[in-house]
Amino acid sequence: MEVTLIINGDHFGFSAEPDEVLLDTLRKLGFKSVKRGCDTTSCGMCHIIVDGQLVPSCSYLTVRANRKKIVTVEGVQEKVRAIAEFMTAEGVEQCGYCSPGHMMSLIALFEENPKPTMDEVKHYLAGNMCRCSGFEGQHRAIAAYLEVEQS
Amino acid sequence: MRIRDYVKPGDLSHAYERLVGTKGAVVMGGGIFLRLQNRTVPLMIDLADLGLDGVNITGDRVEIGAMTTLRQIEKHIGLPEALTGAMKQIAGVSVRNMATIGGSVMGRYPFSDVIPVLLSFDTTLHFHSSGDMALLEYLENGLPCCDILTHLTFNMPEKSAYKAYKSIYTDFALVNVSVAKKDGYCVSIGARPGHSKCVRVDDVDEVLGLVDRFEFGTDHRASAEYRKALAQALLEDIWEGGESWK
Ligand SMILES: Cc1cc2nc3c(=O)[nH]c(=O)nc-3n(C[C@H](O)[C@H](O)[C@H](O)COP(=O)(O)OP(=O)(O)OC[C@H]3O[C@@H](n4cnc5c(N)ncnc54)[C@H](O)[C@@H]3O)c2cc1C
Ligand code: FES
Ligand code: FES
C-alpha cells in the first residue's frame, strides 16, 4: 500500500505491507534511534511522537500513519542534547539502549506540561523500562534539569 | 498478527459492509491488543477516520465515542473521578494514547480497569447494527454477530470512586473495586480473576458487607482468599476516604 510519512519535517513516500509497524519502517528509512525492546507495547524503548502524541512504534501500523507527522530523536537533537548533559553528569547511561525512548517521553511530557513536578515526571515515565535499572539516576538528572530550566 | 489487507473507511455504513462482507474481517480500535494475537487477518478495518472519538456531556447524560482514547478520558475534567482515576494506572502514557475505550470494552478483558467502573455506572453500549445493549449483558453473552460499537452512554453518578491493587505500578490489577452512588449503590469488582460483576443495594449500611456476595478465584498471581481480603480492604478504603457516601 502506498504511504507518505512526514518524518522530522521531511516527506517520505514508499510502499508498505498492511501489517508493517512504524518501528520497522523508521529503522529501514535510517532512523536508527528507534529501538526494539519488548515488541509487546510494554517497555517504551520504541517511543516516537505521531501527530503530537507519544506512541509505541512497535504497535503502530505504518499504513495507519499515512500523511501523519512523526518525530524521532533525530528530529529534536537540540532539545535532547540539553537534557542529555544532565544524564551524563549523573552517570545515568549504562548500555544506553533505553535512552531514545526515554528522551521521546520526556520531550512529549515537556510539550504537554512544561513545569512538571517530580511525581508527575515519574508517573509519565512509568511506561519506560531501563534494562540496566538506571531509574534513580534518570530521576536525579531530570530533577537537576528541571531545577535549572525552571529557575 | 499478520494482516492481508487494510482499509480505513470514512463512513460507518461502509465499514460495517466490509466487516460483514469479508469472512474473518476484524475492526481495529487502538490496535495494540489485536497486534499481540497470533493469527492472520484477511481484512483489518481501521475505525480511526469515522469520527467516533470524543466525550459529550448533556445534563446528566454522558456519551463517550468508541474511539476515544484512554488518555483523552483520563484528561477530561467533566467525567466522574472513578473513570478518570481508573485510567491513570493503565500501563504507560503511550499505551493510553493508543488504547480506545471501545477496544477495552469489546475485548471483555477480565483484568480490565475500565469495565468495573463502567459496570458500576450501569453503562449502555450502542452498536451500529444491533442497537443498544447493557454492558452487563454484553459481558455475559457477547454479541450474536459481528458489529461495530459506536459509543457508550451512562448517567452521571452522584459520587463514584475506584481502587485497584497492583503489585507493580503498571501491572494488571490483582483485584479492583468500583463504587457508584446513583439510585442506590452499585459495587463492582473485577479481576477476581473472572470478569467484572456488580451488585446493587439501596441501603448504605449494606455496602461494606457486599464483598461476600462475589466469588473469587485462584490463579498464578493470587489466591481466592487473598483477592477477597484485598477487595474488602479496597472497599473499606473507598468508604472511609472523602466525604460521606450517605
Ligand atoms: C502493555 C499493555 C498493558 C495493559 N495494561 C492494562 C491494564 O493494566 N488495565 C487495563 O484495563 N487494560 C490494560 N491494557 C489493555 C488496554 O487498556 C486496552 O484495553 C487494549 O489495548 C484494547 O484496546 P485497543 O483500543 O487497543 O483495542 P484493539 O486491540 O483495537 O481491539 C481489541 C478488540 O476489540 C475489538 N474492537 C475494538 N474497537 C471496536 C469497536 N469500536 N467495535 C467493535 N469491536 C471493536 C477488536 O476487533 C478486538 O477484538 C494493556 C494493554 C497493553 C498493550
Ligand atoms: S518495543 Fe515497543 S514498547 Fe517495547
Ligand atoms: S541504560 Fe541500559 S537499558 Fe537503560
Side-chain angles (χ1 to χ4, degrees), chain A residues 32-48:
Chain A
K32 295 284 171 67
S33 72
V34 190
K35 300 282 187 270
R36 172 174 275 111
C38 63
D39 208 17
T40 60
T41 332
S42 308
C43 74
M45 293 191 187
C46 66
H47 276 173
I48 56 167

Side-chain angles (χ1 to χ4, degrees), chain A residues 3 13 24 26 29 48-49 75 79-80 109 115-116 119 125 130 133:
Chain A
V3 178
D24 294 317
L26 289 167
L29 291 172
I48 56 167
I49 296 175
K79 286 183 188 169
V80 167
L109 166 64
K115 292 187 173 179
D119 278 347
L125 294 177
C130 171
S133 70

Side-chain angles (χ1 to χ4, degrees), chain A residues 40-42, chain B residues 26-34 36-37 47 66 70 89-91 95 98-100 102-104 106-107 109 111-114 147-149 166 170-173:
Chain A
T40 60
T41 332
S42 308
Chain B
V26 167
V27 295
M28 176 166 107
I32 48 180
F33 242 58
L34 275 172
L36 300 178
Q37 296 176 3
L47 306 180
L70 303 188
Q89 266 191 56
I90 295 179
V95 167
M98 280 184 77
T100 62
S104 301
M106 294 305 289
Y109 308 114
F111 58 77
S112 178
D113 290 283
V114 181
D147 206 341
I148 298 173
L149 177 72
K166 300 194 172 202
T170 54
D171 201 359
F172 294 144

Side-chain angles (χ1 to χ4, degrees), chain B residues 169-234:
Chain B
Y169 197 66
T170 54
D171 201 359
F172 294 144
L174 287 185
V175 75
N176 52 34
V177 179
S178 177
V179 184
K181 180 182 175 194
K182 182 175 64 181
D183 308 328
Y185 300 85
C186 182
V187 173
S188 61
I189 305 184
R192 297 169 298 104
H195 71 66
S196 312
K197 293 237 155 68
C198 81
V199 175
R200 190 172 298 281
V201 287
D202 290 329
D203 184 355
V204 64
D205 296 323
E206 283 182 57
V207 173
L208 283 181
L210 284 183
V211 170
D212 282 336
R213 291 174 51 185
F214 290 83
E215 281 168 22
F216 295 86
T218 297
D219 62 8
H220 65 288
R221 309 181 79 227
S223 67
E225 294 75 20
Y226 185 49
R227 280 200 164 91
K228 186 172 178 187
L230 281 176
Q232 184 66 44
L234 292 174

Side-chain angles (χ1 to χ4, degrees), chain A residues 1 18-19 21 39-41 47 53-56 58-61 63-64 68 112 123-124 126-127 129, chain B residues 2-4 6 8 28-30 32 35-36 46 48 67 71 75 88 93-98 169-170:
Chain A
M1 308 178 81
D19 46 13
V21 290
D39 208 17
T40 60
T41 332
H47 276 173
Q53 301 286 311
L54 184 74
V55 297
C58 67
S59 292
Y60 203 115
L61 292 182
V63 286
R64 174 178 257 195
K68 290 190 188 292
E112 205 176 309
H123 181 69
Y124 205 93
M129 302 299 139
Chain B
R2 287 152 304 281
I3 304 169
R4 294 233 173 85
Y6 166 94
K8 201 201 251 184
M28 176 166 107
I32 48 180
R35 181 168 176 268
L36 300 178
D46 190 341
M67 288 297 284
R71 184 95 172 124
K75 290 171 75 178
K88 290 199 169 104
V93 171
S94 66
V95 167
R96 303 200 294 278
N97 274 338
M98 280 184 77
Y169 197 66
T170 54

Side-chain angles (χ1 to χ4, degrees), chain B:
Chain B
M1 167 169 290
R2 287 152 304 281
I3 304 169
R4 294 233 173 85
D5 199 5
Y6 166 94
V7 284
K8 201 201 251 184
D11 172 78
L12 186 56
S13 309
H14 177 52
Y16 180 72
E17 274 164 30
R18 296 297 305 263
L19 177 64
V20 291
T22 318
K23 195 167 179 272
V26 167
V27 295
M28 176 166 107
I32 48 180
F33 242 58
L34 275 172
R35 181 168 176 268
L36 300 178
Q37 296 176 3
N38 186 14
R39 62 169 164 151
T40 301
V41 171
L43 176 66
M44 183 64 85
I45 304 166
D46 190 341
L47 306 180
D49 277 357
L50 298 178
L52 295 180
D53 64 320
V55 175
N56 230 314
I57 304 178
T58 320
D60 258 5
R61 191 182 140 95
V62 180
E63 182 179 314
I64 305 180
M67 288 297 284
T68 311
T69 65
L70 303 188
R71 184 95 172 124
Q72 282 175 294
I73 294 171
E74 173 188 346
K75 290 171 75 178
H76 197 289
I77 47 169
L79 287 170
E81 203 183 306
L83 190 58
T84 53
M87 304 297 160
K88 290 199 169 104
Q89 266 191 56
I90 295 179
V93 171
S94 66
V95 167
R96 303 200 294 278
N97 274 338
M98 280 184 77
T100 62
I101 192 140
S104 301
V105 167
M106 294 305 289
R108 293 196 285 177
Y109 308 114
F111 58 77
S112 178
D113 290 283
V114 181
I115 291 174
V117 180
L118 294 176
L119 203 53
S120 70
F121 293 172
D122 203 8
T123 298
T124 303
L125 307 181
H126 304 268
F127 292 96
H128 173 67
S129 166
S130 322
D132 302 349
M133 185 187 251
L135 170 61
L136 183 62
E137 191 189 334
Y138 173 68
L139 291 177
E140 282 171 2
N141 305 321
L143 271 179
C145 56
C146 53
D147 206 341
I148 298 173
L149 177 72
T150 55
H151 59 288
L152 47 89
T153 55
F154 56 82
N155 286 328
M156 195 75 88
E158 269 174 61
K159 183 173 163 80
S160 69
Y162 171 82
K163 279 197 187 277
Y165 185 84
K166 300 194 172 202
S167 44
I168 301 171
Y169 197 66
T170 54
D171 201 359
F172 294 144
L174 287 185
V175 75
N176 52 34
V177 179
S178 177
V179 184
K181 180 182 175 194
K182 182 175 64 181
D183 308 328
Y185 300 85
C186 182
V187 173
S188 61
I189 305 184
R192 297 169 298 104
H195 71 66
S196 312
K197 293 237 155 68
C198 81
V199 175
R200 190 172 298 281
V201 287
D202 290 329
D203 184 355
V204 64
D205 296 323
E206 283 182 57
V207 173
L208 283 181
L210 284 183
V211 170
D212 282 336
R213 291 174 51 185
F214 290 83
E215 281 168 22
F216 295 86
T218 297
D219 62 8
H220 65 288
R221 309 181 79 227
S223 67
E225 294 75 20
Y226 185 49
R227 280 200 164 91
K228 186 172 178 187
L230 281 176
Q232 184 66 44
L234 292 174
L235 183 56
E236 285 174 19
D237 213 10
I238 287 175
W239 216 237
E240 284 159 14
E243 310 142 34
S244 161
W245 283 81
K246 292 207 173 164

